Amino acid sequence: MPRVSESHRAARREQILAAGRRCFTRNGFHATSMQDVIAEAGLSIGAVYRYFGSKQELVTAIAEDVIGGADGVLAGLAREHPDTGLAEVLEHALEFVDAESGPDGALRVAVQVWAEAMRDESLAAFVKDVYSRFRGHFVGFARRAVASGELPPDADPEAVASVLFGLLPGYALQRILTGGPDRATFLAGVRSLIGLQLR
Amino acid sequence: MPRVSESHRAARREQILAAGRRCFTRNGFHATSMQDVIAEAGLSIGAVYRYFGSKQELVTAIAEDVIGGADGVLAGLAREHPDTGLAEVLEHALEFVDAESGPDGALRVAVQVWAEAMRDESLAAFVKDVYSRFRGHFVGFARRAVASGELPPDADPEAVASVLFGLLPGYALQRILTGGPDRATFLAGVRSLIGLQLR
DNA sequence: CTATAAAAAACGAGCGTTCGCTTTAAGGAG
DNA sequence: CTCCTTAAAGCGAACGCTCGTTTTTTATAG
């Protein structure tokens, strides 16, 4: 099919990305062959290579999608609830973690990306960039918490943000690796320790 | 060299394990070939295959070593300081994280293991087992904190433990992926949020 | 001598990728 | 509308290579 519409091309690209993501979720980047992705997409070798010049390109696209997606969610949270307290923000963030913790969730790919970032410098740079911005959202939340009196005036927003940010992978890994505590229990633990007013 | 001493055999095994660990730290499990490990160990194919029947066997041995090692450290902490408060325990644990965060540290392999556990059921079972025990140590610390009044009487030790446990990978990932906050800053954030008396 | 650790050659399978062929939709000429 | 040209989309056999592993050979400690 030549001279195909732009929307057709975009759809094909999405089809390949979705197939790759399913494969990588199931089996990781390295144990998934291009044949696997190609079969999952129901396309031919040539078709896939027209859209992604190499396996690395496909891996990178999916990795950036997954990592960037998480940042997008928190950015959305910051935009939609500009006056929310730390407690509620944390709860929304953990809801997002739960939603992506299933066998098809993005977190399984995220763990693969973390591992891949150990050996791929450019991917590491991307992750560092996105996660720094991600943590930046929490700095904003923490500043407002200091201003509103939710946190003591001498609290360092950067320091608080790094703890709140850290709670997310901490919770996510427990869910994925150990089956972990449910969100309510984890939040109860945070409440006991922190004394934030969680609803 | 036939009929070699037991200590010789143990040393050779360690030599291979150490070489494998360096390779896997540098390049991950899948991007490291047996040839890489063999060259790093300075041995021959036959020698390595005498000690480990397959690559999977070597990977499993190293993965279990790394994951089990972390649990051993916390178990040692629990044993040596049976009356330590939560704050000091957390500080010791973060010190351990820092010590293993470097380019040759165990954490880089730990991330690989997490990723591998996404696709290897038996490794996943092992990690779940060890990390559940790991969290169990924190439950013990939390119980003592409730008893000593460091935590309010209605605090759920299981819930508190899951948060404290979660802080470790949360801090570790920030250090590894973003360069993250230093330990003092992170602890300051914990102090602001939690109000534990950290020295 | 003998048993076996170590070395090394060799193997088949499967990898990512290339490349030339075929198919098909778009667009202009009549 | 119909036909033809054209260029891109799609295809899949084949390639070179590297993988993990097996098998064979060599060397030597006991």
Coordinates of all heavy atoms in Angstrom, one line a residue, chain A residues 117-194:
Chain A
A117 N 19.1 1.1 31.8 CA 19.8 2.4 32.0 C 21.2 2.2 32.7 O 22.0 3.1 32.6 CB 19.0 3.4 32.8
M118 N 21.4 1.0 33.3 CA 22.6 0.7 33.9 C 23.7 0.6 32.8 O 24.9 0.6 33.1 CB 22.6 -0.6 34.7 CG 21.5 -0.7 35.8 SD 21.9 0.2 37.3 CE 21.0 1.7 37.0
R119 N 23.3 0.3 31.6 CA 24.3 0.0 30.6 C 24.2 0.8 29.3 O 25.0 0.7 28.4 CB 24.3 -1.5 30.2 CG 23.0 -2.2 30.3 CD 23.0 -3.6 29.7 NE 22.5 -3.7 28.3 CZ 23.2 -3.6 27.2 NH1 24.5 -3.5 27.3 NH2 22.7 -3.6 26.0
D120 N 23.2 1.6 29.2 CA 23.0 2.5 28.1 C 23.0 3.9 28.5 O 22.1 4.4 29.1 CB 21.6 2.1 27.4 CG 21.3 3.0 26.2 OD1 21.9 4.1 26.1 OD2 20.4 2.6 25.4
E121 N 24.1 4.6 28.2 CA 24.3 5.9 28.7 C 23.3 6.9 28.3 O 22.8 7.7 29.0 CB 25.7 6.4 28.2 CG 26.8 6.0 29.1 CD 28.1 6.8 28.9 OE1 28.0 8.0 28.5 OE2 29.2 6.3 29.0
S122 N 22.8 6.8 27.0 CA 21.9 7.8 26.5 C 20.5 7.6 27.2 O 19.8 8.5 27.5 CB 21.8 7.8 25.0 OG 21.1 6.7 24.5
L123 N 20.2 6.3 27.4 CA 18.9 6.0 28.1 C 19.0 6.5 29.5 O 18.1 7.1 30.1 CB 18.6 4.5 28.0 CG 17.3 4.1 28.6 CD1 16.1 4.9 28.0 CD2 17.0 2.6 28.5
A124 N 20.2 6.3 30.1 CA 20.4 6.8 31.5 C 20.2 8.3 31.6 O 19.6 8.8 32.5 CB 21.8 6.4 32.0
A125 N 20.7 9.0 30.6 CA 20.6 10.5 30.6 C 19.1 10.9 30.5 O 18.7 11.8 31.2 CB 21.4 11.0 29.4
F126 N 18.4 10.1 29.6 CA 17.0 10.4 29.5 C 16.2 10.2 30.8 O 15.5 11.0 31.2 CB 16.4 9.6 28.4 CG 14.9 9.8 28.2 CD1 14.4 10.8 27.4 CD2 14.0 8.9 28.8 CE1 13.0 11.0 27.3 CE2 12.6 9.1 28.7 CZ 12.2 10.1 27.9
V127 N 16.5 9.1 31.4 CA 15.8 8.7 32.7 C 16.2 9.8 33.8 O 15.3 10.2 34.5 CB 16.2 7.3 33.2 CG1 15.6 7.0 34.5 CG2 15.7 6.3 32.2
K128 N 17.4 10.1 33.8 CA 17.8 11.1 34.8 C 17.1 12.4 34.6 O 16.6 13.0 35.6 CB 19.4 11.4 34.7 CG 19.9 12.5 35.6 CD 21.4 12.6 35.6 CE 21.9 13.7 36.5 NZ 23.3 13.7 36.6
D129 N 17.0 12.8 33.4 CA 16.3 14.1 33.0 C 14.8 14.0 33.4 O 14.3 14.9 34.1 CB 16.4 14.3 31.5 CG 15.9 15.7 31.1 OD1 16.4 16.7 31.7 OD2 15.0 15.7 30.3
V130 N 14.1 13.0 33.0 CA 12.7 12.9 33.3 C 12.4 12.8 34.8 O 11.6 13.4 35.4 CB 12.1 11.7 32.6 CG1 10.6 11.5 33.0 CG2 12.2 11.9 31.1
Y131 N 13.2 11.9 35.5 CA 13.0 11.7 36.9 C 13.4 12.9 37.7 O 12.8 13.2 38.8 CB 13.7 10.5 37.4 CG 13.0 9.2 37.1 CD1 11.8 9.2 36.4 CD2 13.4 8.0 37.6 CE1 11.1 8.0 36.1 CE2 12.8 6.8 37.4 CZ 11.6 6.8 36.6 OH 10.9 5.6 36.4
S132 N 14.3 13.7 37.2 CA 14.6 15.0 37.9 C 13.4 15.9 37.8 O 13.1 16.6 38.8 CB 15.9 15.6 37.3 OG 17.0 14.7 37.5
R133 N 12.9 16.0 36.7 CA 11.7 16.8 36.5 C 10.5 16.3 37.4 O 9.8 17.0 38.0 CB 11.3 16.8 35.0 CG 10.2 17.8 34.7 CD 10.1 18.1 33.2 NE 10.0 17.0 32.3 CZ 10.9 16.6 31.5 NH1 12.0 17.2 31.4 NH2 10.7 15.5 30.7
F134 N 10.4 15.0 37.4 CA 9.4 14.3 38.2 C 9.5 14.7 39.6 O 8.6 15.1 40.3 CB 9.6 12.8 38.0 CG 8.4 11.9 38.5 CD1 7.7 11.2 37.5 CD2 8.1 11.8 39.8 CE1 6.7 10.4 37.9 CE2 7.0 11.0 40.2 CZ 6.3 10.3 39.3
R135 N 10.7 14.6 40.1 CA 11.0 15.0 41.5 C 10.7 16.5 41.7 O 10.2 17.0 42.8 CB 12.4 14.7 41.9 CG 12.7 15.0 43.4 CD 14.0 14.4 43.8 NE 15.1 14.8 42.9 CZ 16.3 14.1 42.8 NH1 16.4 13.0 43.5 NH2 17.2 14.5 42.0
G136 N 11.0 17.3 40.6 CA 10.7 18.7 40.7 C 9.2 19.0 41.0 O 8.9 20.0 41.7
H137 N 8.3 18.2 40.5 CA 6.9 18.4 40.8 C 6.7 18.3 42.3 O 6.0 19.1 42.9 CB 6.0 17.4 40.1 CG 6.1 17.5 38.6 ND1 5.8 18.6 37.9 CD2 6.3 16.5 37.7 CE1 5.9 18.4 36.6 NE2 6.2 17.1 36.4
F138 N 7.4 17.4 42.9 CA 7.2 17.2 44.4 C 7.8 18.4 45.1 O 7.3 18.7 46.2 CB 7.8 15.9 44.8 CG 6.9 14.7 44.6 CD1 7.2 13.7 43.7 CD2 5.8 14.5 45.4 CE1 6.4 12.6 43.5 CE2 4.9 13.4 45.2 CZ 5.2 12.5 44.3
V139 N 8.9 18.9 44.6 CA 9.4 20.1 45.2 C 8.4 21.2 45.3 O 8.2 21.9 46.3 CB 10.7 20.6 44.5 CG1 11.2 21.9 45.1 CG2 11.8 19.6 44.5
G140 N 7.7 21.4 44.2 CA 6.6 22.4 44.1 C 5.5 22.1 45.2 O 5.1 23.0 45.9
F141 N 5.1 20.8 45.2 CA 4.1 20.5 46.2 C 4.6 20.7 47.7 O 3.9 21.2 48.5 CB 3.8 19.0 46.1 CG 3.0 18.6 44.9 CD1 3.4 17.7 44.0 CD2 1.8 19.3 44.6 CE1 2.7 17.4 42.8 CE2 1.0 19.0 43.5 CZ 1.5 18.0 42.6
A142 N 5.9 20.4 47.9 CA 6.5 20.6 49.2 C 6.5 22.1 49.6 O 6.3 22.5 50.7 CB 7.9 20.0 49.3
R143 N 6.9 22.9 48.6 CA 6.9 24.4 48.9 C 5.6 24.9 49.3 O 5.5 25.6 50.3 CB 7.3 25.1 47.6 CG 8.8 25.1 47.3 CD 9.3 26.4 46.7 NE 10.7 26.2 46.3 CZ 11.0 25.7 45.1 NH1 10.1 25.4 44.2 NH2 12.3 25.5 44.8
R144 N 4.6 24.4 48.6 CA 3.2 24.8 49.0 C 2.8 24.3 50.4 O 2.1 25.0 51.1 CB 2.2 24.3 47.9 CG 2.5 25.0 46.6 CD 1.2 25.0 45.7 NE 0.4 23.8 45.9 CZ 0.2 22.9 45.0 NH1 0.7 23.0 43.8 NH2 -0.6 21.9 45.2
A145 N 3.3 23.1 50.7 CA 3.0 22.6 52.0 C 3.7 23.4 53.1 O 3.1 23.5 54.2 CB 3.5 21.1 52.0
V146 N 4.9 23.9 52.8 CA 5.5 24.7 53.8 C 4.7 26.0 53.9 O 4.4 26.5 55.1 CB 7.0 25.0 53.4 CG1 7.6 26.1 54.3 CG2 7.8 23.8 53.4
A147 N 4.3 26.6 52.8 CA 3.6 27.9 52.8 C 2.2 27.7 53.5 O 1.8 28.6 54.3 CB 3.4 28.3 51.4
S148 N 1.6 26.6 53.3 CA 0.3 26.4 53.9 C 0.3 25.9 55.4 O -0.7 25.8 56.0 CB -0.5 25.4 53.1 OG 0.0 24.1 53.4
G149 N 1.5 25.6 55.8 CA 1.7 25.2 57.2 C 1.5 23.7 57.4 O 1.6 23.1 58.5
E150 N 1.3 23.0 56.3 CA 1.3 21.5 56.3 C 2.6 20.9 56.8 O 2.6 19.9 57.4 CB 0.8 20.9 55.0 CG 0.5 19.4 55.0 CD 0.1 18.9 53.7 OE1 0.3 19.5 52.6 OE2 -0.5 17.8 53.7
L151 N 3.7 21.6 56.4 CA 5.0 21.2 56.8 C 5.6 22.4 57.7 O 5.2 23.5 57.5 CB 5.9 21.0 55.6 CG 5.7 19.7 54.8 CD1 6.7 19.7 53.7 CD2 6.0 18.5 55.7
P152 N 6.5 22.0 58.6 CA 7.1 23.1 59.4 C 7.9 24.1 58.5 O 8.4 23.7 57.5 CB 8.0 22.3 60.4 CG 8.2 21.0 59.8 CD 6.9 20.7 59.0
P153 N 8.0 25.3 59.0 CA 8.6 26.3 58.1 C 10.1 26.0 57.8 O 10.6 26.5 56.7 CB 8.5 27.6 59.0 CG 7.6 27.3 60.1 CD 7.6 25.8 60.3
D154 N 10.8 25.3 58.6 CA 12.2 25.0 58.4 C 12.4 23.8 57.5 O 13.5 23.4 57.2 CB 12.9 24.9 59.7 CG 12.5 23.6 60.4 OD1 11.3 23.3 60.2 OD2 13.3 23.1 61.2
A155 N 11.3 23.2 57.0 CA 11.4 22.0 56.2 C 12.1 22.3 54.8 O 11.7 23.4 54.2 CB 10.1 21.3 56.0
D156 N 13.0 21.5 54.4 CA 13.6 21.8 53.1 C 12.8 21.1 52.0 O 12.7 19.9 52.0 CB 15.1 21.2 53.1 CG 15.7 21.2 51.8 OD1 15.2 21.8 50.8 OD2 16.9 20.8 51.7
P157 N 12.2 21.9 51.1 CA 11.3 21.3 50.1 C 12.0 20.3 49.2 O 11.4 19.2 48.8 CB 10.9 22.5 49.2 CG 11.0 23.7 50.2 CD 12.2 23.3 51.0
E158 N 13.3 20.5 48.9 CA 14.1 19.5 48.1 C 14.2 18.2 48.8 O 14.0 17.1 48.2 CB 15.5 20.1 47.8 CG 15.5 21.4 47.0 CD 15.4 21.1 45.5 OE1 15.5 19.9 45.1 OE2 15.3 22.1 44.7
A159 N 14.5 18.3 50.1 CA 14.7 17.1 50.9 C 13.3 16.3 51.0 O 13.3 15.1 50.8 CB 15.2 17.4 52.3
V160 N 12.3 17.0 51.3 CA 11.0 16.4 51.4 C 10.6 15.8 50.1 O 10.0 14.7 50.1 CB 9.9 17.4 51.9 CG1 8.5 16.9 51.8 CG2 10.2 17.9 53.3
A161 N 10.8 16.5 49.0 CA 10.4 16.0 47.7 C 11.2 14.7 47.4 O 10.6 13.7 46.9 CB 10.8 17.0 46.6
S162 N 12.4 14.6 47.8 CA 13.1 13.3 47.5 C 12.6 12.2 48.3 O 12.6 11.0 47.8 CB 14.6 13.5 47.8 OG 14.9 13.6 49.1
V163 N 12.1 12.4 49.4 CA 11.5 11.3 50.2 C 10.1 10.9 49.6 O 9.9 9.7 49.4 CB 11.3 11.7 51.7 CG1 10.5 10.6 52.4 CG2 12.6 12.0 52.3
L164 N 9.3 11.9 49.3 CA 8.0 11.6 48.7 C 8.2 10.9 47.3 O 7.5 9.9 47.0 CB 7.2 12.9 48.5 CG 6.7 13.6 49.8 CD1 6.1 14.9 49.5 CD2 5.7 12.7 50.5
F165 N 9.1 11.4 46.5 CA 9.4 10.7 45.2 C 9.9 9.3 45.5 O 9.4 8.4 44.8 CB 10.4 11.6 44.5 CG 10.9 10.9 43.2 CD1 10.1 10.6 42.2 CD2 12.3 10.7 43.1 CE1 10.5 10.0 41.0 CE2 12.8 10.1 41.9 CZ 11.9 9.8 40.9
G166 N 10.7 9.1 46.4 CA 11.3 7.8 46.7 C 10.2 6.8 47.2 O 10.3 5.6 46.9
L167 N 9.2 7.3 47.8 CA 8.1 6.4 48.3 C 7.4 5.7 47.1 O 7.0 4.6 47.2 CB 7.0 7.2 49.1 CG 7.5 7.6 50.5 CD1 6.4 8.5 51.1 CD2 7.7 6.4 51.4
L168 N 7.4 6.3 45.9 CA 6.7 5.7 44.8 C 7.4 4.4 44.3 O 6.8 3.4 44.3 CB 6.6 6.7 43.7 CG 5.8 8.0 44.0 CD1 5.5 8.8 42.8 CD2 4.4 7.6 44.6
P169 N 8.7 4.5 43.9 CA 9.3 3.2 43.5 C 9.4 2.2 44.7 O 9.4 1.0 44.5 CB 10.7 3.6 43.0 CG 11.0 5.0 43.6 CD 9.6 5.6 43.7
G170 N 9.5 2.8 45.9 CA 9.6 1.9 47.1 C 8.3 1.1 47.2 O 8.3 -0.1 47.4
Y171 N 7.2 1.8 47.0 CA 5.9 1.1 47.1 C 5.7 0.2 45.8 O 5.3 -1.0 46.0 CB 4.7 2.1 47.1 CG 3.4 1.6 47.0 CD1 2.9 0.8 48.1 CD2 2.5 1.8 45.9 CE1 1.6 0.2 48.0 CE2 1.2 1.3 45.9 CZ 0.8 0.5 46.9 OH -0.5 0.0 46.9
A172 N 6.1 0.7 44.7 CA 5.9 -0.1 43.4 C 6.7 -1.4 43.5 O 6.1 -2.4 43.1 CB 6.3 0.8 42.2
L173 N 7.9 -1.3 43.9 CA 8.7 -2.5 43.9 C 8.2 -3.5 44.9 O 8.2 -4.7 44.6 CB 10.2 -2.2 44.3 CG 11.1 -1.8 43.1 CD1 12.4 -1.3 43.6 CD2 11.2 -2.9 42.1
Q174 N 7.7 -3.1 46.0 CA 7.1 -4.0 47.0 C 5.9 -4.7 46.3 O 5.7 -5.9 46.5 CB 6.7 -3.3 48.2 CG 7.8 -3.1 49.2 CD 7.3 -2.5 50.5 OE1 6.9 -3.2 51.4 NE2 7.5 -1.2 50.6
R175 N 5.1 -3.9 45.7 CA 3.9 -4.5 45.0 C 4.3 -5.6 44.0 O 3.8 -6.7 44.0 CB 3.0 -3.5 44.4 CG 2.3 -2.5 45.3 CD 1.6 -3.2 46.4 NE 0.6 -4.2 45.9 CZ -0.7 -4.0 45.8 NH1 -1.2 -2.9 46.2 NH2 -1.5 -5.0 45.4
I176 N 5.3 -5.2 43.2 CA 5.6 -6.1 42.1 C 6.4 -7.3 42.5 O 6.2 -8.4 42.1 CB 6.4 -5.3 41.0 CG1 5.5 -4.3 40.3 CG2 7.1 -6.2 40.1 CD1 6.2 -3.6 39.2
L177 N 7.3 -7.1 43.5 CA 8.2 -8.2 43.9 C 7.7 -9.0 45.0 O 8.0 -10.2 45.0 CB 9.6 -7.6 44.3 CG 10.4 -6.9 43.1 CD1 11.7 -6.3 43.7 CD2 10.7 -7.9 42.0
T178 N 7.0 -8.4 45.9 CA 6.6 -9.2 47.1 C 5.1 -9.4 47.2 O 4.6 -10.1 48.1 CB 7.1 -8.6 48.4 OG1 6.3 -7.5 48.7 CG2 8.5 -8.2 48.3
G179 N 4.3 -8.7 46.3 CA 2.9 -8.7 46.4 C 2.5 -7.7 47.4 O 1.4 -7.2 47.4
G180 N 3.4 -7.4 48.3 CA 3.5 -6.2 49.1 C 2.2 -5.8 49.9 O 1.2 -6.5 49.8
P181 N 2.3 -4.7 50.6 CA 1.1 -4.3 51.3 C 0.1 -3.6 50.3 O 0.6 -3.1 49.3 CB 1.6 -3.2 52.3 CG 2.8 -2.7 51.6 CD 3.4 -3.8 50.7
D182 N -1.2 -3.6 50.6 CA -2.0 -2.8 49.7 C -1.9 -1.3 50.0 O -1.2 -0.9 51.0 CB -3.5 -3.3 49.9 CG -4.0 -3.1 51.3 OD1 -3.4 -2.3 52.1 OD2 -5.0 -3.8 51.6
R183 N -2.5 -0.5 49.2 CA -2.3 0.9 49.3 C -2.7 1.4 50.6 O -2.1 2.3 51.2 CB -3.0 1.6 48.1 CG -2.8 3.1 48.1 CD -3.3 3.7 46.8 NE -4.7 3.9 46.7 CZ -5.5 3.2 45.8 NH1 -5.0 2.3 45.0 NH2 -6.8 3.5 45.8
A184 N -3.9 0.9 51.1 CA -4.4 1.4 52.4 C -3.4 1.2 53.5 O -3.2 2.1 54.4 CB -5.7 0.8 52.7
T185 N -2.8 0.0 53.5 CA -1.9 -0.3 54.6 C -0.6 0.6 54.5 O -0.2 1.1 55.5 CB -1.4 -1.8 54.5 OG1 -2.6 -2.6 54.6 CG2 -0.4 -2.1 55.6
F186 N -0.1 0.7 53.3 CA 1.0 1.5 53.1 C 0.8 3.0 53.5 O 1.6 3.6 54.2 CB 1.5 1.5 51.6 CG 2.8 2.1 51.3 CD1 4.0 1.4 51.5 CD2 2.9 3.4 50.8 CE1 5.2 2.0 51.2 CE2 4.1 4.0 50.6 CZ 5.3 3.3 50.8
L187 N -0.4 3.5 53.1 CA -0.8 4.8 53.5 C -0.9 4.9 55.0 O -0.6 6.0 55.6 CB -2.0 5.3 52.8 CG -1.8 5.7 51.3 CD1 -3.2 5.8 50.6 CD2 -1.1 7.0 51.3
A188 N -1.4 3.9 55.6 CA -1.5 3.9 57.1 C -0.1 4.0 57.7 O 0.1 4.7 58.7 CB -2.2 2.6 57.6
G189 N 0.8 3.3 57.1 CA 2.2 3.4 57.6 C 2.7 4.8 57.5 O 3.4 5.3 58.4
V190 N 2.5 5.4 56.3 CA 2.9 6.7 56.1 C 2.3 7.7 57.2 O 2.9 8.5 57.8 CB 2.6 7.2 54.7 CG1 2.9 8.7 54.5 CG2 3.3 6.4 53.6
R191 N 1.0 7.4 57.4 CA 0.3 8.3 58.4 C 0.9 8.1 59.8 O 1.1 9.1 60.5 CB -1.2 7.9 58.4 CG -2.1 9.0 58.9 CD -3.5 8.5 59.0 NE -4.1 8.0 57.7 CZ -4.5 6.8 57.5 NH1 -4.5 5.8 58.4 NH2 -4.9 6.4 56.3
S192 N 1.2 6.9 60.1 CA 1.7 6.7 61.5 C 3.1 7.4 61.6 O 3.4 7.9 62.7 CB 2.0 5.2 61.7 OG 0.7 4.5 61.8
L193 N 3.8 7.3 60.5 CA 5.2 7.9 60.6 C 5.1 9.4 60.4 O 5.9 10.1 61.1 CB 6.1 7.3 59.5 CG 6.6 5.9 59.8 CD1 7.2 5.3 58.5 CD2 7.7 6.0 60.9
I194 N 4.3 9.8 59.6 CA 4.4 11.2 59.1 C 3.4 12.1 59.8 O 3.6 13.3 60.0 CB 4.3 11.3 57.6 CG1 5.3 10.4 56.9 CG2 4.3 12.7 57.1 CD1 5.5 10.6 55.4

